[in-house]
Amino acid sequence: MKLFDGQGTKDIGKPWRFEEDGLTVTRGCAWSPPGCHPTGCGIKVYTNDKGELVKIEGDENHPITNGRLCVRCLTMKDYVYHPDRVRYPMKRSRKDRGKDKWERITWDEAYDIIAEKVAYFKEKYGPESILIMGGTGREGGPMLPAYAHACIGTPNACYTQSGYSCYIPRVAGTTYVLGATYPEMDYAGGLPGRYDNPEFTIPELIVFWGKEPLPSNGDGLFGHAAIDMMRRGAKLMSIDPRANWASTRAEWHLRLRPGTDAALAMAMLNVIINENLYDEDFVSRWTYGFEQLAERVQDMPVEKAAEITGVDAELIRDAARAYATAKPAQIAWGLAIDQKSNGVQAGHCILALQAITGNVDVPGGQLIGDVNDGLELGFGWNNLGPELQSKIMGIKEYPAYVGLVLNAQCDMVLEALETEKPYAFKMGIFEDTNLLAGTCAAQPKRWHDAMANNLEWSFGIDVWMTPTIQACCEIFLPLSTTVEHDTVVYTHYGASPIMAGAVNKCITVGETKGDCEIMYELGKRCMPINFEKYKDYYDFLADYRLGYKQTFEELRDEVVHQKTETLSYRKYESGKLRPDGRPGFNTPTGRIELFSTMFQQFGEDPLPYYMEPQLSPISTPEEFQKYPLVLTTGARTYCYFHSEGKQIPYLREMNPDPLIEINPKDALRFSIVDGQWVEVENPFGKIVLKAKVSQIVKEGVVHAQHGFWFPEADCEEPVLYDVWRSNINELIPHRYIGKLGFGAPFKCMICKVSPTDKSWDTDMQKVWERFGKLVIEK
């Protein structure tokens, strides 16, 4: 079957559901759970006449993924029928927190208890005393503010990562500098015929800056699109202290010291401006503050940046020239930009690179959404009213953060949980987050102690019993997987004009429900004002996720809807980026603000600058004598998504133990051998990890895996699935953030690594005995 016809029109070939070899095949798009970014990979789900899942294959008709699937989807059957999966609502008493004393209840009983508690805490302490915390990757992530505002009626939603250092510092830069949510690298995702569409241009150069998209598919970017474009002639550049698949195929690999991205970017701007390699027409017509930017980057000559970053000066010059002269060129920038207190400024620099080279909103450059595309924010906010809106934590101290994402400032939230100032949180909600397991929260033991001791009552939503819910909750609501519910996935949380996909229900397991369905049903009880207009769940879905542009049933029949109706290029010329319809960008000046008037308004420097990490060889040389390695964390793996997947034996076989990568020269220096367990320590904590001696990391740098817990261990306190043993986030400090509240040093800390004679090797035979047998609940 052809994927495209001669005119570039998609040949779907099969309906969304059909019969084949005695099995029912349902086409759809995967999202969550299991966790992944909203890439919406195409899947074909095979079920038998008993309604049981038989197998999953990639859907070759999907216009973007073309049948390609990662191992997490391919092991879906092991996930769906896992013996440890929670299939029914459960409850326990407050005095039994941390103990395995759960009992099964009905959904009605669970909803009644929750609604009663919500009403009680609102009446006694005020709606602001209710705190809802969410995770990433799962469907519930972008729903977090809506869960708080529309469903529960509290202003306080919180993604619990210090400086909300996941995507948001980049989004802050793009919103305040560019006036659009996020300029993704253009991979023709929304165009019929994709790369063969005449509107598209294959980029001459793809830059991966602190991003390795093949295992991560970050924020909806299908990483293998880069391979597709490489096959069509695109060259690669990698800016990353680690070696990875992309860097080994790249013509330029800049292995900078973690945390020094802004210095490198300023030096590249210095070269491009001083050598007159910028797009003079675009700069003069569509940017603001070029002269001030040109003056600022003189503070970062190439030789100075080379000394700071550890990258050869000539390589910096070559990379700058290569990017400036490639037409078009694109940059995919990742968490390494967010996860430092200087992250917003690093993002500002990268936006400036994209802008002055004329690569914004052009085919094969950086694709941005129009004025109607945006993050999933605002549902229920207006019905809170001005008084309650003003109580969202951090709005006075960090307005650029809180006002942007309608989240409470997370560092202030932890301090309020500990001190009850400026007010106390009394009820907690854990929506799709395992924050104690080293996924997002800095110093998670502090979060554990504050929540377990000071929250009077809580409930959690998940597929599994996690350390977080076991420690903190009285009610457990069981979540359905991506093959067990109807919902919608859209790339980049709706902020980029690429695609929307139908997540189609294929099977039923226990009494589980999806995130959207839980929010709808609970919202009708707790905040009916926001839900009474909907006739049923599918009407809610059509509005909340699709904006009534089509019904879910229409999307289901289509399976994948490429956003051809909103995808266009050079929208700044046609007025599609501004609500008033005038040409330009949606900023105060109507231009890309290289000199940011918004940053200036918030009391921040309006121009980008470099700031050394708070703990580093340069800023704290005495501390670096004690802790002589630069620590970066959290590079993605193919088998896990954050803490997800540790109980799936096939996945655990691939990566059974939490690893720390160390360069062979450093291993020799500290008497460490490959496969040895080591103590990793810095001023904030000490854990153990297994050493992987490898050239993957540059000398002087170590990389530690994140999100490790041990589902086979004792679930009760104080062991709590052994969650503290290898929890790298214990070494990441709280509130080491930027002036506007963004960014924290998850990828640029310091540490020492010492060998130990002990071993904590995972016994995979026991893991298989515990988790390997599939239990099909009929």
Side-chain angles (χ1 to χ4, degrees):
M1 180 179 64
K2 294 184 298 181
L3 291 179
F4 307 99
D5 68 19
Q7 286 71 46
T9 304
K10 187 75 173 61
D11 181 6
I12 294 297
K14 293 286 187 179
W16 76 277
R17 179 167 285 166
F18 58 95
E19 302 296 318
E20 183 179 286
D21 299 329
L23 298 174
T24 299
V25 184
T26 304
R27 295 177 54 226
C29 296
W31 189 6
S32 87
C36 190
H37 281 116
T39 312
C41 297
I43 58 174
K44 294 186 295 188
V45 182
Y46 291 78
T47 54
N48 61 23
D49 57 6
K50 298 178 182 179
E52 298 165 343
L53 174 60
V54 176
K55 64 177 179 178
I56 286 184
E57 293 180 350
D59 182 5
E60 66 274 19
N61 297 303
H62 191 289
I64 297 171
T65 59
N66 301 135
R68 292 168 286 192
L69 284 182
C70 76
V71 67
R72 297 194 300 274
C73 269
L74 294 174
T75 54
M76 185 80 71
K77 184 175 179 180
D78 303 78
Y79 190 101
V80 165
Y81 295 125
H82 196 282
D84 263 22
R85 188 177 170 196
V86 180
R87 294 166 166 80
Y88 309 98
M90 301 191 301
K91 71 175 183 178
R92 66 179 175 189
S93 67
R94 174 68 171 78
K95 65 181 178 64
D96 288 329
R97 270 191 189 173
K99 299 178 183 178
D100 190 21
K101 291 192 175 183
W102 297 93
E103 61 181 78
R104 178 177 172 179
I105 58 175
T106 66
W107 275 98
D108 280 340
E109 184 178 356
Y111 283 153
D112 287 344
I113 294 171
I114 292 169
E116 179 184 336
K117 292 292 185 181
V118 168
Y120 167 78
F121 286 106
K122 283 183 176 179
E123 176 66 25
K124 187 169 183 179
Y125 301 105
E128 68 275 13
S129 70
I130 302 174
L131 173 67
I132 178 164
M133 294 157 279
T136 189
R138 294 268 190 88
E139 181 183 16
M143 294 168 56
L144 178 61
Y147 247 117
H149 309 150
C151 177
I152 301 300
T154 174
N156 285 312
C158 179
Y159 183 77
T160 57
Q161 186 171 40
S162 181
Y164 196 166
S165 303
C166 179
Y167 192 59
I168 298 307
R170 279 172 288 164
V171 169
T174 59
T175 301
Y176 296 135
V177 173
L178 182 67
T181 304
Y182 183 63
E184 184 57 272
M185 58 178 271
D186 182 16
Y187 53 97
L191 291 173
R194 299 292 306 286
Y195 312 113
D196 298 322
N197 190 296
E199 289 188 52
F200 185 69
T201 302
I202 295 292
E204 290 187 12
L205 178 65
I206 304 171
V207 181
F208 291 130
W209 197 316
K211 188 165 194 160
E212 213 282 282
L214 298 182
S216 70
N217 298 302
D219 308 309
L221 164 65
F222 182 56
H224 281 76
I227 299 176
D228 296 339
M229 293 190 288
M230 282 174 59
R231 290 171 175 164
R232 290 162 171 81
K235 295 179 180 179
L236 289 187
M237 178 185 297
S238 175
I239 302 175
D240 200 310
R242 298 175 70 246
N244 51 45
W245 189 95
S247 70
T248 59
R249 275 78 176 172
E251 303 209 13
W252 301 268
H253 183 196
L254 287 70
R255 302 187 79 175
L256 75 173
R257 172 165 61 90
T260 62
D261 303 81
L264 175 63
M266 288 181 72
M268 292 176 68
L269 286 165
N270 180 303
V271 172
I272 293 169
I273 292 173
N274 289 347
E275 295 187 6
N276 240 8
L277 299 176
Y278 58 91
D279 185 327
E280 293 186 17
D281 180 66
F282 188 88
V283 165
S284 65
R285 296 179 62 196
W286 304 110
T287 70
Y288 175 80
F290 177 75
E291 292 78 12
Q292 294 97 320
L293 175 70
E295 182 179 353
R296 173 60 59 88
V297 299
Q298 301 311 309
D299 296 341
M300 190 59 70
V302 171
E303 285 71 19
K304 180 179 178 180
E307 185 177 345
I308 292 171
T309 64
V311 178
D312 181 78
E314 282 309 305
L315 181 55
I316 294 174
R317 289 189 179 91
D318 288 346
R321 292 163 182 157
Y323 175 71
T325 56
K327 300 297 180 187
Q330 53 184 228
I331 299 176
W333 33 321
L335 280 177
I337 304 303
D338 299 334
Q339 295 188 340
K340 57 179 71 67
S341 57
N342 192 215
V344 170
Q345 288 72 35
H348 193 171
C349 289
I350 292 174
L351 280 168
L353 283 168
Q354 296 167 353
I356 70 170
T357 55
N359 281 305
V360 174
D361 210 26
V362 296
Q366 308 298 146
L367 181 65
I368 57 178
D370 69 16
V371 71
N372 297 308
D373 292 313
L375 296 177
E376 190 177 287
L377 296 171
F379 179 38
W381 177 250
N382 288 338
N383 284 335
L384 294 179
E387 182 180 356
L388 193 51
Q389 289 172 350
S390 70
K391 293 181 179 180
I392 184 172
M393 188 158 288
I395 188 62
K396 295 178 182 178
E397 296 83 353
Y398 297 106
Y401 173 127
V402 176
L404 177 71
V405 290
L406 299 183
N407 268 234
Q409 208 286 330
C410 53
D411 297 272
M412 291 188 64
V413 166
L414 174 56
E415 292 162 10
L417 282 164
E418 293 174 325
T419 66
E420 299 191 347
K421 296 177 181 178
Y423 53 79
F425 291 114
K426 295 295 184 178
M427 175 178 166
I429 302 170
F430 298 85
E431 182 231 1
D432 289 339
T433 180
N434 191 10
L435 68 98
L436 297 186
T439 56
C440 55
Q443 298 186 274
K445 190 65 165 61
R446 282 182 62 179
W447 283 88
H448 166 274
D449 294 347
M451 296 185 303
N453 294 326
N454 298 332
L455 289 175
E456 291 185 12
W457 192 87
S458 300
F459 75 91
I461 305 170
D462 215 305
V463 179
W464 318 95
M465 184 58 64
T466 66
T468 305
I469 292 180
Q470 182 72 300
C472 300
C473 293
E474 283 68 61
I475 292 256
F476 187 111
L477 300 183
L479 199 58
S480 53
T481 73
T482 192
V483 295
E484 298 165 41
H485 55 240
D486 290 329
T487 189
V488 177
V489 57
Y490 35 36
T491 50
H492 306 86
Y493 318 105
S496 193
I498 296 176
M499 55 81 75
V503 178
N504 288 324
K505 179 179 173 68
C506 309
I507 60 172
T508 298
V509 177
E511 296 176 0
T512 60
K513 295 177 184 283
D515 276 306
C516 267
E517 186 177 9
I518 294 171
M519 184 172 83
Y520 171 70
E521 294 179 347
L522 193 56
K524 288 197 299 182
R525 293 176 182 244
C526 297
M527 288 290 287
I529 188 174
N530 294 316
F531 295 88
E532 58 192 8
K533 68 177 181 179
Y534 301 115
K535 62 182 181 182
D536 57 23
Y537 167 67
Y538 291 95
D539 187 33
F540 164 68
L541 197 61
D543 181 20
Y544 177 59
R545 277 283 159 80
L546 296 170
Y548 284 134
K549 294 174 183 175
Q550 61 182 153
T551 66
F552 175 77
E553 291 78 10
E554 290 168 341
L555 178 63
R556 181 177 61 192
D557 288 342
E558 196 175 358
V559 182
V560 177
H561 177 76
Q562 290 177 287
K563 294 185 176 181
T564 55
E565 69 278 3
T566 61
L567 196 157
S568 61
Y569 296 106
R570 298 180 178 88
K571 292 181 282 292
Y572 49 84
E573 295 179 343
S574 59
K576 294 180 180 179
L577 297 179
R578 295 174 57 90
D580 60 13
R582 297 173 62 186
F585 292 84
N586 194 21
T587 63
T589 62
R591 298 174 175 229
I592 299 176
E593 296 198 344
L594 307 175
F595 178 104
S596 173
T597 60
M598 292 297 292
F599 287 162
Q600 188 175 47
Q601 176 182 315
F602 290 127
E604 178 58 286
D605 192 327
L607 291 165
Y609 59 88
Y610 172 67
M611 182 174 68
E612 185 71 21
Q614 293 97 324
L615 292 175
S616 81
I618 307 301
S619 57
T620 54
E622 291 183 2
E623 281 291 281
F624 195 67
Q625 293 259 329
K626 303 175 193 174
Y627 305 102
L629 292 166
V630 175
L631 169 67
T632 184
T633 72
R636 303 298 183 249
T637 69
Y638 288 96
C639 50
Y640 299 136
F641 187 84
H642 299 297
S643 69
E644 192 98 67
K646 304 300 188 295
Q647 59 277 86
I648 307 301
Y650 284 113
L651 302 181
R652 191 71 176 276
E653 285 273 13
M654 298 171 65
N655 192 161
D657 298 305
L659 303 176
I660 184 166
E661 298 164 346
I662 184 168
N663 186 275
K665 291 182 180 179
D666 292 320
L668 183 63
R669 177 184 170 197
F670 298 111
S671 303
I672 293 167
V673 298
D674 187 53
Q676 182 178 24
W677 285 83
V678 296
E679 292 182 343
V680 185
E681 183 178 0
N682 73 4
F684 307 101
K686 181 167 68 174
I687 62 167
V688 293
L689 297 169
K690 192 172 185 177
K692 179 178 181 179
V693 179
S694 172
Q695 299 276 6
I696 286 173
V697 286
K698 65 182 292 184
E699 186 178 357
V701 174
V702 291
H703 165 257
Q705 291 185 332
H706 77 303
F708 245 92
W709 59 298
F710 302 90
E712 66 274 17
D714 182 2
C715 68
E716 294 193 335
E717 293 270 25
V719 177
L720 206 62
Y721 300 104
D722 226 352
V723 71
W724 310 119
R725 185 223 300 172
S726 299
N727 196 323
I728 192 60
N729 282 7
E730 279 295 288
L731 277 65
I732 308 301
H734 166 72
R735 210 196 252 267
Y736 274 48
I737 57 177
K739 186 174 182 179
L740 298 181
F742 297 109
F746 288 84
K747 293 190 181 293
C748 51
M749 191 37 55
I750 59 173
C751 73
K752 68 177 181 180
V753 179
S754 309
T756 176
D757 294 332
K758 295 182 180 180
S759 174
W760 290 267
D761 281 2
T762 295
D763 186 337
M764 282 307 303
Q765 182 175 347
K766 290 185 178 179
V767 172
W768 276 103
E769 289 172 356
R770 167 77 187 275
F771 299 137
K773 184 179 179 182
L774 297 180
V775 177
I776 298 180
E777 189 84 25
K778 302 224 174 31

